[in-house]
């Protein structure tokens, strides 16, 4: 079932990420979609915080994929996070295959920014999150649902 939330601040976007993390475990794929500045990395920071992963979470634009080690998690077993920015891949499936994300999916939560139409085939189901931003404002809207 599709859910929607208005996110007036970056902190609200991160809080939604922490909430979504409570539903995530090893083997889950999260596909983020939205324009530049819509909050994809902020949402990923919240997911990371909810998973209890270690280290600073920033956009992996120039390295494409960044792995974060598992840390303490209050609501379940510790799980690492793999954060991918598929923007520079431009749909290049050879480069995507070189990242070996299907292997990571067994042991980690994999979050892919700009992944819509590119990575869904890696898992039987995925959480799709579409983010949008109001013009001239920090207010964002998130729409999400599990896709089987």
């Amino acid at each position: 079932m599709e859910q929607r939330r208005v996110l007036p601040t970056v902190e609200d976007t991160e809080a939604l990420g922490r909430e979504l993390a409570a539903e995530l475990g090893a083997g889950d794929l999260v596909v983020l979609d939205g324009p530049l500045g819509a909050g994809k990395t902020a949402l990923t920071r919240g997911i990371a915080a909810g998973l209890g992963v270690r280290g600073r979470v920033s956009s992996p634009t120039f390295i494409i994929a960044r792995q974060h080690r598992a840390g303490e998690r209050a609501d379940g077993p510790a799980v690492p996070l793999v954060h991918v920015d598929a923007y520079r891949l431009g749909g290049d499936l050879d480069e995507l295959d070189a990242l070996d994300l299907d292997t990571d999916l067994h042991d980690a939560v994999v979050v892919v920014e700009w992944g819509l139409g590119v990575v869904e085939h890696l898992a039987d189901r995925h959480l799709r999150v579409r983010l949008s931003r109001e013009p001239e404002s920090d207010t964002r809207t998130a729409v999400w649902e599990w896709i089987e």
Side-chain angles (χ1 to χ4, degrees):
M1 172 178 25
E2 187 175 274
Q3 297 182 64
R4 174 182 301 269
R5 184 173 306 166
V6 174
L7 307 163
T9 67
V10 172
E11 292 78 16
D12 294 319
T13 304
E14 291 174 352
L16 175 61
R18 287 190 298 277
E19 289 176 37
L20 294 175
E23 301 177 37
L24 300 173
D28 285 331
L29 173 64
V30 181
V31 179
L32 304 181
D33 184 42
L36 285 171
K40 295 179 294 295
T41 301
L43 187 72
T44 303
R45 276 195 308 268
I47 290 171
L51 294 175
V53 301
R54 299 177 183 171
R56 183 174 161 263
V57 174
S58 59
S59 179
T61 301
F62 297 106
I63 60 167
I64 300 177
R66 188 171 278 158
Q67 296 189 4
H68 299 275
R69 288 187 276 158
E72 298 289 323
R73 185 175 182 185
D75 62 352
V79 61
L81 171 73
V82 177
H83 183 197
V84 178
D85 186 326
Y87 183 78
R88 287 188 33 228
L89 296 179
D92 186 336
L93 296 181
D94 290 336
E95 281 192 57
L96 180 65
D97 285 343
L99 294 175
D100 209 17
L101 294 179
D102 50 347
T103 301
D104 290 328
L105 267 171
H106 297 290
D107 302 317
V109 171
V110 176
V111 176
V112 183
E113 296 186 27
W114 303 98
L116 191 64
V118 179
V119 297
E120 295 92 336
H121 70 281
L122 295 174
D124 292 335
R125 72 179 196 134
H126 65 277
L127 180 62
R128 181 181 64 201
V129 183
R130 294 179 186 219
L131 293 154
S132 60
R133 183 175 179 182
E134 297 289 324
E136 309 293 323
S137 168
D138 283 338
T139 300
R140 293 159 170 86
T141 301
V143 178
W144 69 96
E145 68 179 320
W146 283 98
I147 307 294
E148 305 275 338

